[in-house]
């Protein structure tokens, strides 16, 4: 059974930084594309960033491009999301997902992700 566990969320002031981590167990981590999504109160879950299984290609949403960076360490079965210059509108629960999609860029579509973590909450105060 594949399990994903996020960590690193918390309360931070606007302009600050956080690094989220997602550890995957029970599966072959290096075979998955990985993605980060977020869900703000009252809103739908949205794509944030994704990375291919070897880390060769990444994709970031326009709202976080230049501020957030996704990376992975296959030796540690972990995917990271480095978040800088945080804004109050980044406040959300952040989820990581694992996708078996291996053709082309990493997927933005939630339906391509097979496994999900429980999420970690990020609150950015103004």
């Amino acid at each position: 059974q594949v399990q994903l566990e996020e960590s690193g969320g918390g309360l931070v002031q606007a302009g600050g930084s956080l690094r989220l981590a997602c550890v995957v167990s029970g599966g072959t981590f290096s075979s998955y594309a990985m993605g980060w999504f977020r869900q703000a109160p009252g809103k739908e879950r949205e794509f944030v960033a994704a990375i291919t299984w070897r880390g060769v290609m990444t994709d970031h949403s326009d709202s976080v491009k230049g501020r957030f960076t996704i990376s992975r360490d296959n030796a540690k079965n972990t995917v990271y999301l480095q978040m800088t210059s945080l804004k109050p509108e980044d406040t959300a629960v952040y989820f990581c997902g694992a996708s078996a999609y291996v053709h082309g860029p990493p997927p933005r579509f939630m339906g391509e992700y097979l496994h999900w973590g429980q999420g970690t909450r990020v609150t950015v105060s103004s």
Side-chain angles (χ1 to χ4, degrees), residues 74-94:
N74 286 353
K76 295 182 178 180
N77 288 1
T78 302
V79 62
Y80 303 97
L81 185 68
Q82 179 68 51
M83 306 187 295
T84 63
S85 302
L86 282 159
K87 305 175 181 179
E89 51 263 44
D90 295 318
T91 295
V93 177
Y94 284 71

Side-chain angles (χ1 to χ4, degrees), residues 22-79:
C22 172
V23 178
V24 179
S25 60
T28 306
F29 176 74
S30 59
S31 68
Y32 293 118
M34 297 296 298
W36 285 98
F37 291 73
R38 67 186 181 186
Q39 188 165 14
K43 296 189 176 180
E44 294 185 351
R45 193 174 298 190
E46 65 173 2
F47 169 77
V48 175
I51 188 167
T52 51
W53 63 282
R54 280 195 291 184
V56 174
M57 297 178 67
T58 63
D59 186 21
H60 298 78
S61 68
D62 288 344
S63 62
V64 307
K65 197 169 294 182
R67 300 188 298 121
F68 293 9
T69 303
I70 189 171
S71 63
R72 67 189 295 160
D73 185 340
N74 286 353
K76 295 182 178 180
N77 288 1
T78 302
V79 62

